[in-house]
Amino acid sequence: MSVFNVPALPSYKFFNVVAVSVCASLVLALIRRIFLRGKATELVGPKNPSWLWGYTRTLLTGVSGDYFEAWQKEFGDVYRIPYPAGTSRTVFMDPRAISYVLNSNSYNYVRHKGNNAQLKTLIGGGLLTHEGDDHRRHRRSMIPGFSVASLRYFTSIFLEATSTVKDEWMSRLEAEENHGVAVLSIEQWMNAISFESIGQTGFNHDFGCLNGVLPPVGQLFTALGNSSATLGSMISLGLLQVFPFVLQLPLKRNMGMVKVRTALTDVARAFKADFGNTKEDLTDDRRSLVASIMKAENRSLSEADIIAEMNTLLIAGFETTSTTMTWCMHELSLHPKVQDKLREELRGFPEPTYEQLATEMPYLTAVVQETLRIHPIAQENHRVAAKDDSVPLLNPITTKTGKVVDHVELPAGTGIIVPIEAMNKSTLFWGPDAHEFKPERWLSELPEKASSIQGYHHLLTFIDGPR
Ligand code: HEM
């Protein structure tokens, strides 16, 4: 029996379905375009390179941050770029508008329906996929998991993980047959540290992967992360926006996520057996993010709920963290002086506490922030206006018709892009050395324009606001 329960379709029927889907999505896009045009502020922007693709192919295959930054220089802090089938996206690089969309009015700016449906099918429920009140409630129940008490306890788990890996590296270096040279795949080891840390802090599970070998479920995750954007995946993503049944097709990515869910079942069962319905106070050895959700909601979670929570943490936290740590090591390898300075600071804290890490190690903080600035995991954040809105701007703009405005009118359904990487690296905000890795910039005052960007330390790497 097929895991997808999709009846086998004769191929001609399949192509009929695809053809009807494509036509219907084009007609819908056209109607939406005509309808939206009347209400929206007329924005400037680049010419359309292709009616079929707009700029999507260019942005997917190149460094999107460079394009957004160049367009900012040409068109200003708010502009419109062409998207597939004659549609468009409004790009915000104005700090006040971004803060409004992602933070103060974020529940009006939701994920594209198709993307959320895809996430839901892949993950199940969970914080990443909820909107509105469900999201508020779920978020509240996760907050205790990020309390100082939890972070203090989690710090010891992170330190133990890194120290185990360091010992492993040293033993390889010191092995007689290696003559003081060892070739290490940093990405592989950072994956191991990240996966193990999320297992333990997320849901009290020891994956035992600090020997550098991910468990099968970890390997499924990295395979998903490595799947590149093919023409087929782009077409299916486009169709998905209108026809969620695409998620039921036996595509590589859909099948990968079914395998992940199946592989997590045993871990979820073990967690459920240990924690049943956790209502008592969480002592350190019982602390974890999923346990705090159960306690906060004062109910036991079903096996499917637990798998969804685990999936959410692994999808949101695993590769984001390991890739960021890998970039950090890469930058340190390119900047030996930074490495020396950091090592000197670290030597003063052989076993740092949470408080020391948070307040007494400024150079470590600067290196971490600079890595997060230069190498944000998500290049862009995409949203859709759920209702008509008027977005306030920090700096007035001139519209296509020559009018100067300090608000942008967005009809419901307008697609929005916040270009994270371009905002983090724009020379207009960060100065002429914005594209260079320079932790020292964090040790003195930031340029005034960079300070106007909201978000964690004026970066959009973790976006901004409640999401
Ligand atoms: C360098 C590391 C990380 C980066 C750069 C990062 C970045 C992000 C970004 C950009 C989002 C917003 C996604 C969106 O709304 O489209 C997000 C959401 C989220 N992240 Fe992270 N993340 C990191 C690590 C983690 C870790 C370690 C965890 C937990 C174990 C985590 C849990 C989450 C969750 C649960 C959400 C969903 C929040 C919501 O929708 O309300 N992240 N993260």
Short mmCIF file of all heavy atoms in Angstrom, two decimals, residues 115-163:
data_model
loop_
_atom_site.label_atom_id
_atom_site.label_comp_id
_atom_site.label_asym_id
_atom_site.label_seq_id
_atom_site.Cartn_x
_atom_site.Cartn_y
_atom_site.Cartn_z
N ASN A 115 2.61 27.63 1.21
CA ASN A 115 3.82 27.32 2.00
C ASN A 115 3.44 26.79 3.36
O ASN A 115 4.06 25.85 3.88
CB ASN A 115 4.68 28.57 2.18
CG ASN A 115 5.25 29.05 0.87
OD1 ASN A 115 4.99 28.44 -0.16
ND2 ASN A 115 5.99 30.13 0.90
N ASN A 116 2.40 27.38 3.96
CA ASN A 116 1.99 26.92 5.27
C ASN A 116 1.40 25.51 5.19
O ASN A 116 1.66 24.67 6.04
CB ASN A 116 0.98 27.89 5.89
CG ASN A 116 1.25 28.08 7.36
OD1 ASN A 116 2.40 27.94 7.80
ND2 ASN A 116 0.24 28.36 8.13
N ALA A 117 0.62 25.29 4.11
CA ALA A 117 0.04 23.95 3.93
C ALA A 117 1.17 22.94 3.78
O ALA A 117 1.13 21.83 4.33
CB ALA A 117 -0.86 23.92 2.71
N GLN A 118 2.22 23.35 3.06
CA GLN A 118 3.34 22.43 2.86
C GLN A 118 4.01 22.13 4.20
O GLN A 118 4.23 20.98 4.55
CB GLN A 118 4.36 23.04 1.90
CG GLN A 118 5.47 22.07 1.57
CD GLN A 118 6.57 22.70 0.72
OE1 GLN A 118 6.91 23.86 0.93
NE2 GLN A 118 7.10 21.94 -0.19
N LEU A 119 4.26 23.20 4.98
CA LEU A 119 4.89 23.00 6.27
C LEU A 119 4.05 22.09 7.16
O LEU A 119 4.56 21.20 7.84
CB LEU A 119 5.07 24.35 6.99
CG LEU A 119 6.40 25.06 6.80
CD1 LEU A 119 6.37 26.40 7.51
CD2 LEU A 119 7.56 24.23 7.35
N LYS A 120 2.72 22.32 7.11
CA LYS A 120 1.82 21.53 7.96
C LYS A 120 1.88 20.06 7.57
O LYS A 120 1.91 19.18 8.42
CB LYS A 120 0.38 22.03 7.81
CG LYS A 120 -0.08 22.77 9.04
CD LYS A 120 -1.56 23.09 8.97
CE LYS A 120 -1.83 24.17 10.01
NZ LYS A 120 -2.87 25.10 9.63
N THR A 121 1.88 19.81 6.27
CA THR A 121 1.94 18.42 5.82
C THR A 121 3.28 17.80 6.21
O THR A 121 3.36 16.65 6.59
CB THR A 121 1.77 18.34 4.28
OG1 THR A 121 0.62 19.08 3.95
CG2 THR A 121 1.62 16.92 3.81
N LEU A 122 4.34 18.61 6.14
CA LEU A 122 5.66 18.08 6.44
C LEU A 122 5.83 17.85 7.94
O LEU A 122 6.36 16.84 8.37
CB LEU A 122 6.75 19.04 5.95
CG LEU A 122 6.81 19.33 4.45
CD1 LEU A 122 7.97 20.23 4.13
CD2 LEU A 122 6.92 18.05 3.64
N ILE A 123 5.38 18.84 8.76
CA ILE A 123 5.69 18.81 10.18
C ILE A 123 4.56 18.24 11.01
O ILE A 123 4.77 17.54 12.00
CB ILE A 123 5.95 20.25 10.70
CG1 ILE A 123 7.08 20.90 9.95
CG2 ILE A 123 6.24 20.25 12.18
CD1 ILE A 123 7.29 22.36 10.35
N GLY A 124 3.32 18.52 10.63
CA GLY A 124 2.17 18.32 11.52
C GLY A 124 1.85 19.72 12.03
O GLY A 124 2.19 20.71 11.39
N GLY A 125 1.23 19.82 13.22
CA GLY A 125 0.92 21.17 13.77
C GLY A 125 2.19 21.79 14.32
O GLY A 125 3.28 21.45 13.91
N GLY A 126 2.05 22.72 15.28
CA GLY A 126 3.25 23.27 15.93
C GLY A 126 3.39 24.76 15.69
O GLY A 126 2.69 25.35 14.87
N LEU A 127 4.33 25.35 16.45
CA LEU A 127 4.51 26.79 16.46
C LEU A 127 4.75 27.37 15.07
O LEU A 127 4.25 28.43 14.73
CB LEU A 127 5.69 27.12 17.39
CG LEU A 127 5.80 28.55 17.84
CD1 LEU A 127 4.61 28.93 18.69
CD2 LEU A 127 7.07 28.76 18.65
N LEU A 128 5.55 26.67 14.27
CA LEU A 128 5.90 27.20 12.95
C LEU A 128 4.69 27.38 12.05
O LEU A 128 4.66 28.26 11.21
CB LEU A 128 6.87 26.24 12.26
CG LEU A 128 8.36 26.54 12.31
CD1 LEU A 128 9.13 25.41 11.68
CD2 LEU A 128 8.71 27.84 11.61
N THR A 129 3.67 26.51 12.22
CA THR A 129 2.57 26.53 11.26
C THR A 129 1.31 27.22 11.78
O THR A 129 0.42 27.54 11.01
CB THR A 129 2.19 25.09 10.84
OG1 THR A 129 1.93 24.34 12.03
CG2 THR A 129 3.27 24.45 10.05
N HIS A 130 1.23 27.47 13.12
CA HIS A 130 0.02 28.13 13.63
C HIS A 130 0.00 29.60 13.24
O HIS A 130 1.03 30.23 13.09
CB HIS A 130 -0.02 28.06 15.16
CG HIS A 130 -0.29 26.67 15.68
ND1 HIS A 130 -1.16 25.82 15.06
CD2 HIS A 130 0.17 26.03 16.78
CE1 HIS A 130 -1.20 24.69 15.73
NE2 HIS A 130 -0.39 24.78 16.77
N GLU A 131 -1.22 30.15 13.12
CA GLU A 131 -1.38 31.60 12.91
C GLU A 131 -2.33 32.11 13.99
O GLU A 131 -3.03 31.33 14.65
CB GLU A 131 -2.00 31.89 11.53
CG GLU A 131 -1.19 31.42 10.32
CD GLU A 131 0.02 32.30 10.00
OE1 GLU A 131 0.28 33.28 10.73
OE2 GLU A 131 0.72 31.98 9.02
N GLY A 132 -2.38 33.42 14.18
CA GLY A 132 -3.37 34.07 15.06
C GLY A 132 -3.36 33.55 16.49
O GLY A 132 -2.31 33.34 17.09
N ASP A 133 -4.59 33.31 17.04
CA ASP A 133 -4.71 32.93 18.45
C ASP A 133 -4.00 31.61 18.77
O ASP A 133 -3.42 31.46 19.83
CB ASP A 133 -6.18 32.82 18.85
CG ASP A 133 -6.78 34.21 19.02
OD1 ASP A 133 -6.00 35.19 19.11
OD2 ASP A 133 -8.02 34.32 19.02
N ASP A 134 -4.08 30.65 17.86
CA ASP A 134 -3.40 29.36 18.09
C ASP A 134 -1.91 29.60 18.29
O ASP A 134 -1.27 29.00 19.15
CB ASP A 134 -3.55 28.44 16.87
CG ASP A 134 -4.88 27.76 16.88
OD1 ASP A 134 -5.55 27.82 17.93
OD2 ASP A 134 -5.24 27.19 15.84
N HIS A 135 -1.37 30.53 17.48
CA HIS A 135 0.06 30.82 17.58
C HIS A 135 0.38 31.48 18.91
O HIS A 135 1.32 31.10 19.60
CB HIS A 135 0.51 31.71 16.42
CG HIS A 135 1.96 32.02 16.46
ND1 HIS A 135 2.45 33.16 17.05
CD2 HIS A 135 3.05 31.32 16.04
CE1 HIS A 135 3.76 33.15 16.97
NE2 HIS A 135 4.15 32.05 16.36
N ARG A 136 -0.46 32.46 19.32
CA ARG A 136 -0.23 33.18 20.59
C ARG A 136 -0.20 32.19 21.76
O ARG A 136 0.68 32.22 22.60
CB ARG A 136 -1.38 34.17 20.86
CG ARG A 136 -1.17 35.48 20.18
CD ARG A 136 -2.15 36.53 20.69
NE ARG A 136 -2.21 37.61 19.72
CZ ARG A 136 -3.09 37.70 18.73
NH1 ARG A 136 -4.03 36.80 18.60
NH2 ARG A 136 -3.04 38.70 17.88
N ARG A 137 -1.19 31.26 21.76
CA ARG A 137 -1.31 30.32 22.88
C ARG A 137 -0.08 29.38 22.90
O ARG A 137 0.55 29.17 23.92
CB ARG A 137 -2.61 29.49 22.70
CG ARG A 137 -2.90 28.56 23.85
CD ARG A 137 -4.14 27.73 23.55
NE ARG A 137 -4.11 27.05 22.26
CZ ARG A 137 -3.43 25.96 22.00
NH1 ARG A 137 -2.72 25.39 22.95
NH2 ARG A 137 -3.42 25.41 20.80
N HIS A 138 0.26 28.88 21.74
CA HIS A 138 1.37 27.92 21.66
C HIS A 138 2.68 28.60 22.07
O HIS A 138 3.51 28.01 22.76
CB HIS A 138 1.47 27.41 20.22
CG HIS A 138 2.06 26.05 20.14
ND1 HIS A 138 1.32 24.95 19.83
CD2 HIS A 138 3.31 25.61 20.36
CE1 HIS A 138 2.10 23.90 19.84
NE2 HIS A 138 3.33 24.27 20.15
N ARG A 139 2.82 29.84 21.64
CA ARG A 139 4.05 30.58 21.93
C ARG A 139 4.18 30.79 23.44
O ARG A 139 5.25 30.62 24.02
CB ARG A 139 4.01 31.91 21.19
CG ARG A 139 5.31 32.65 21.23
CD ARG A 139 5.33 33.78 20.26
NE ARG A 139 6.63 34.39 20.26
CZ ARG A 139 6.96 35.43 20.99
NH1 ARG A 139 6.06 35.96 21.79
NH2 ARG A 139 8.18 35.92 20.95
N ARG A 140 3.04 31.17 24.05
CA ARG A 140 3.05 31.38 25.51
C ARG A 140 3.51 30.12 26.23
O ARG A 140 4.26 30.17 27.18
CB ARG A 140 1.64 31.75 25.99
CG ARG A 140 1.50 33.21 26.37
CD ARG A 140 0.30 33.47 27.23
NE ARG A 140 -0.92 32.77 26.83
CZ ARG A 140 -1.81 33.24 25.95
NH1 ARG A 140 -1.63 34.42 25.41
NH2 ARG A 140 -2.90 32.56 25.66
N SER A 141 3.05 28.96 25.75
CA SER A 141 3.39 27.73 26.47
C SER A 141 4.85 27.33 26.25
O SER A 141 5.41 26.55 27.01
CB SER A 141 2.44 26.60 26.11
OG SER A 141 2.53 26.32 24.75
N MET A 142 5.49 27.89 25.21
CA MET A 142 6.90 27.54 24.99
C MET A 142 7.85 28.46 25.76
O MET A 142 9.01 28.13 25.99
CB MET A 142 7.22 27.58 23.51
CG MET A 142 8.29 26.57 23.12
SD MET A 142 8.74 26.73 21.41
CE MET A 142 8.40 25.10 20.79
N ILE A 143 7.33 29.63 26.16
CA ILE A 143 8.21 30.63 26.77
C ILE A 143 8.98 30.12 28.01
O ILE A 143 10.17 30.35 28.13
CB ILE A 143 7.42 31.94 27.06
CG1 ILE A 143 7.27 32.68 25.73
CG2 ILE A 143 8.12 32.84 28.09
CD1 ILE A 143 6.42 33.92 25.78
N PRO A 144 8.33 29.35 28.93
CA PRO A 144 9.10 28.87 30.08
C PRO A 144 10.33 28.05 29.69
O PRO A 144 11.33 28.02 30.40
CB PRO A 144 8.10 28.00 30.85
CG PRO A 144 6.76 28.44 30.39
CD PRO A 144 6.92 28.93 29.00
N GLY A 145 10.26 27.40 28.54
CA GLY A 145 11.41 26.63 28.07
C GLY A 145 12.62 27.50 27.77
O GLY A 145 13.74 27.02 27.69
N PHE A 146 12.38 28.80 27.60
CA PHE A 146 13.49 29.73 27.31
C PHE A 146 13.79 30.64 28.50
O PHE A 146 14.42 31.67 28.36
CB PHE A 146 13.17 30.59 26.07
CG PHE A 146 13.16 29.78 24.80
CD1 PHE A 146 11.97 29.33 24.25
CD2 PHE A 146 14.34 29.46 24.16
CE1 PHE A 146 11.95 28.57 23.10
CE2 PHE A 146 14.33 28.70 23.00
CZ PHE A 146 13.13 28.25 22.46
N SER A 147 13.30 30.24 29.71
CA SER A 147 13.56 31.04 30.92
C SER A 147 15.06 30.98 31.24
O SER A 147 15.78 30.09 30.74
CB SER A 147 12.78 30.49 32.09
OG SER A 147 13.26 29.20 32.38
N VAL A 148 15.52 31.91 32.08
CA VAL A 148 16.95 31.91 32.44
C VAL A 148 17.32 30.59 33.10
O VAL A 148 18.39 30.01 32.83
CB VAL A 148 17.28 33.12 33.36
CG1 VAL A 148 18.68 33.01 33.93
CG2 VAL A 148 17.12 34.41 32.57
N ALA A 149 16.41 30.04 33.95
CA ALA A 149 16.72 28.76 34.61
C ALA A 149 16.95 27.67 33.56
O ALA A 149 17.91 26.89 33.66
CB ALA A 149 15.58 28.38 35.54
N SER A 150 16.09 27.64 32.53
CA SER A 150 16.27 26.61 31.49
C SER A 150 17.56 26.86 30.73
O SER A 150 18.35 25.93 30.48
CB SER A 150 15.11 26.65 30.50
OG SER A 150 13.94 26.25 31.12
N LEU A 151 17.81 28.12 30.36
CA LEU A 151 19.01 28.42 29.57
C LEU A 151 20.28 28.09 30.35
O LEU A 151 21.26 27.59 29.79
CB LEU A 151 19.02 29.88 29.12
CG LEU A 151 17.92 30.24 28.12
CD1 LEU A 151 17.98 31.72 27.76
CD2 LEU A 151 18.04 29.40 26.85
N ARG A 152 20.21 28.34 31.66
CA ARG A 152 21.39 28.03 32.50
C ARG A 152 21.67 26.53 32.45
O ARG A 152 22.80 26.09 32.29
CB ARG A 152 21.08 28.47 33.93
CG ARG A 152 22.33 28.72 34.74
CD ARG A 152 21.99 29.22 36.11
NE ARG A 152 21.71 30.64 36.15
CZ ARG A 152 20.67 31.19 36.79
NH1 ARG A 152 19.79 30.44 37.41
NH2 ARG A 152 20.52 32.49 36.80
N TYR A 153 20.60 25.74 32.56
CA TYR A 153 20.76 24.28 32.51
C TYR A 153 21.19 23.83 31.11
O TYR A 153 22.10 23.01 30.96
CB TYR A 153 19.46 23.60 32.94
CG TYR A 153 19.48 22.12 32.70
CD1 TYR A 153 20.39 21.30 33.39
CD2 TYR A 153 18.62 21.52 31.79
CE1 TYR A 153 20.44 19.93 33.17
CE2 TYR A 153 18.67 20.16 31.56
CZ TYR A 153 19.58 19.37 32.24
OH TYR A 153 19.61 18.03 32.01
N PHE A 154 20.56 24.42 30.08
CA PHE A 154 20.91 24.03 28.71
C PHE A 154 22.38 24.35 28.40
O PHE A 154 23.04 23.64 27.64
CB PHE A 154 20.03 24.76 27.69
CG PHE A 154 18.58 24.34 27.70
CD1 PHE A 154 17.60 25.09 27.04
CD2 PHE A 154 18.17 23.18 28.35
CE1 PHE A 154 16.27 24.70 27.05
CE2 PHE A 154 16.84 22.78 28.36
CZ PHE A 154 15.88 23.56 27.71
N THR A 155 22.91 25.46 28.99
CA THR A 155 24.30 25.83 28.72
C THR A 155 25.23 24.67 29.06
O THR A 155 26.18 24.37 28.33
CB THR A 155 24.69 27.08 29.56
OG1 THR A 155 23.80 28.12 29.22
CG2 THR A 155 26.11 27.53 29.28
N SER A 156 24.94 23.97 30.17
CA SER A 156 25.83 22.87 30.55
C SER A 156 25.76 21.75 29.50
O SER A 156 26.76 21.09 29.21
CB SER A 156 25.49 22.35 31.95
OG SER A 156 24.19 21.81 31.94
N ILE A 157 24.58 21.57 28.88
CA ILE A 157 24.47 20.54 27.82
C ILE A 157 25.30 20.96 26.59
O ILE A 157 26.04 20.15 26.02
CB ILE A 157 22.98 20.34 27.43
CG1 ILE A 157 22.24 19.72 28.61
CG2 ILE A 157 22.85 19.49 26.18
CD1 ILE A 157 20.75 19.52 28.39
N PHE A 158 25.19 22.25 26.23
CA PHE A 158 25.95 22.71 25.05
C PHE A 158 27.45 22.58 25.29
O PHE A 158 28.21 22.15 24.42
CB PHE A 158 25.62 24.18 24.72
CG PHE A 158 24.16 24.44 24.47
CD1 PHE A 158 23.56 25.63 24.90
CD2 PHE A 158 23.38 23.52 23.80
CE1 PHE A 158 22.20 25.87 24.67
CE2 PHE A 158 22.02 23.75 23.57
CZ PHE A 158 21.44 24.94 24.01
N LEU A 159 27.87 22.95 26.52
CA LEU A 159 29.31 22.91 26.81
C LEU A 159 29.82 21.47 26.80
O LEU A 159 30.90 21.17 26.30
CB LEU A 159 29.61 23.55 28.17
CG LEU A 159 29.48 25.08 28.21
CD1 LEU A 159 29.73 25.60 29.62
CD2 LEU A 159 30.46 25.73 27.23
N GLU A 160 28.99 20.57 27.34
CA GLU A 160 29.42 19.17 27.37
C GLU A 160 29.54 18.62 25.94
O GLU A 160 30.48 17.90 25.62
CB GLU A 160 28.39 18.35 28.15
CG GLU A 160 29.04 17.18 28.87
CD GLU A 160 28.01 16.49 29.74
OE1 GLU A 160 27.45 17.18 30.62
OE2 GLU A 160 27.78 15.29 29.50
N ALA A 161 28.59 19.01 25.09
CA ALA A 161 28.62 18.54 23.70
C ALA A 161 29.88 19.03 23.00
O ALA A 161 30.60 18.24 22.35
CB ALA A 161 27.37 19.02 22.96
N THR A 162 30.20 20.33 23.16
CA THR A 162 31.38 20.86 22.45
C THR A 162 32.66 20.28 23.04
O THR A 162 33.60 19.99 22.31
CB THR A 162 31.43 22.40 22.51
OG1 THR A 162 31.13 22.82 23.82
CG2 THR A 162 30.47 23.04 21.57
N SER A 163 32.66 20.07 24.36
CA SER A 163 33.88 19.55 24.97
C SER A 163 34.12 18.09 24.54
O SER A 163 35.26 17.69 24.27
CB SER A 163 33.74 19.74 26.48
OG SER A 163 34.39 18.77 27.17
#
